[in-house]
């Protein structure tokens, strides 16, 4: 596609590889303890079994599978405190980006790399959708990964599709490099943008347009 060609031509992978690092990695020992806590005697995660039961033997489809998974929890919750219930267990079928739940899936699906745990086999890394928060949405817009303005499931899918064009088997691997720029306040409105410190500056529409509050590089 035109977007995948553009992403490759501007060297997105090089920019991502030089982005600020993620948090300190967990030790193998701590991963082993987490694995024991999350699995039963047969080595299967109870939540993974529940996720698969909701699929009912059908083909994997992350949005539909996650919808059924979260619906199970809402049903057990009942009618009390509906706002709190729907905040904790939102509805991707109605457009919610489900940031926390896509982040959970990233943790349990991606292979152990010092950050993620690789506990589940019900979903493969290539099926994951990026956890959409303020930082991912902002960077996705500024470097051309999405044209949407509404921070919903469709935006998450659009950003993921753009990243999948670069790394088909593991698009969510880019979650940390993208989000850390915002988390570390390297590229946020309060800091007015520090373009010289940002590996994405050559791709950034705000820098190219020389908008107020963004200092040029150099």
């Amino acid at each position: 596609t035109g977007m995948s060609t553009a992403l490759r031509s501007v060297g997105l992978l090089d920019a991502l590889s030089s982005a600020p690092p993620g948090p300190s990695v967990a030790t193998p020992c701590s991963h082993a303890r987490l694995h024991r806590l999350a699995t039963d005697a047969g080595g299967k995660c109870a939540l993974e079994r529940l996720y698969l039961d909701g699929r009912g033997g059908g083909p994997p489809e992350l949005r539909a599978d996650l919808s059924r998974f979260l619906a199970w929890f809402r049903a057990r919750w009942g009618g009390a405190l509906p706002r709190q219930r729907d905040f904790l267990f939102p509805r991707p079928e109605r457009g919610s980006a489900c940031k926390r739940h896509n982040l959970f899936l990233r943790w349990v699906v991606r292979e152990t790399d010092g950050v993620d745990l690789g506990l589940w086999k019900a979903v493969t890394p290539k099926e994951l959708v990026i956890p959409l928060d303020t930082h991912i949405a902002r960077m996705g817009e500024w470097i051309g990964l999405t044209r949407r303005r509404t921070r919903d499931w469709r935006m998450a899918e659009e950003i993921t599709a753009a990243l999948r064009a670069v790394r088909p088997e593991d698009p969510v691997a880019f979650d940390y490099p993208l989000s850390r720029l915002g988390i570390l306040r390297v590229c946020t409105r309060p800091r007015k943008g520090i373009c010289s410190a940002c590996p994405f500056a050559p791709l950034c529409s705000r820098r190219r347009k020389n908008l107020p509050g963004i200092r040029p590089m150099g």
Side-chain angles (χ1 to χ4, degrees):
T1 65
M3 179 170 283
S4 63
T5 302
L7 288 172
R8 292 180 185 280
S9 68
V10 297
L12 180 61
L13 283 173
D14 293 337
L16 290 168
S17 66
S18 59
S24 300
V25 298
T27 64
C29 182
S30 65
H31 273 168
R33 288 196 296 270
L34 286 168
H35 190 279
R36 286 196 297 272
L37 287 171
T39 57
D40 58 21
K44 199 72 170 177
C45 176
L47 287 175
E48 184 181 15
R49 288 201 307 272
L50 178 63
Y51 188 92
L52 285 170
D53 288 346
R55 184 180 293 168
E61 204 286 299
L62 192 132
R63 187 177 188 177
D65 293 343
L66 186 59
S67 294
R68 289 187 287 266
F69 183 65
L70 297 176
W72 186 92
F73 291 98
R74 288 196 305 274
R76 268 64 185 173
W77 181 297
L81 302 173
R83 290 180 61 186
Q84 291 87 337
R85 176 200 63 203
D86 292 346
F87 174 78
L88 290 172
F89 306 109
R91 302 172 186 265
E93 72 275 15
R94 295 186 181 179
S96 171
C98 295
K99 182 258 183 178
R100 296 182 303 280
H101 306 88
N102 279 320
L103 182 59
F104 166 76
L105 288 176
R106 200 206 78 196
W107 287 339
V108 297
V109 170
R110 292 189 70 249
E111 291 297 324
T112 302
D113 59 2
V115 177
D116 298 318
L117 301 174
L119 298 175
W120 283 23
K121 303 303 178 187
V123 183
T124 63
K126 66 182 178 182
E127 298 169 48
L128 293 173
V129 171
I130 198 161
L132 184 69
D133 62 7
T134 296
H135 309 297
I136 293 292
R138 181 183 297 141
M139 293 301 300
E141 178 184 345
W142 288 355
I143 66 175
L145 302 181
T146 181
R147 296 179 180 176
R148 291 186 61 77
R149 295 295 182 266
T150 303
R151 296 174 181 181
D152 56 6
W153 185 273
R154 287 178 61 191
M155 176 183 274
E157 284 189 321
E158 193 169 280
I159 292 173
T160 304
L163 297 174
R164 190 175 286 121
V166 179
R167 186 172 290 183
E169 298 303 311
D170 192 12
V172 178
F174 299 125
D175 182 27
Y176 268 126
L178 285 169
S179 63
R180 291 290 286 177
L181 289 171
I183 292 169
L184 297 177
R185 299 173 65 82
V186 171
C187 189
T188 61
R189 287 188 177 91
R191 290 284 294 276
K192 298 184 178 179
I194 306 174
C195 290
S196 60
C198 180
F200 293 100
L203 314 179
C204 182
S205 62
R206 284 181 65 85
R207 173 178 174 266
R208 288 199 305 270
K209 293 176 182 178
N210 197 27
L211 295 182
I214 299 295
R215 296 198 302 274
M217 292 184 69

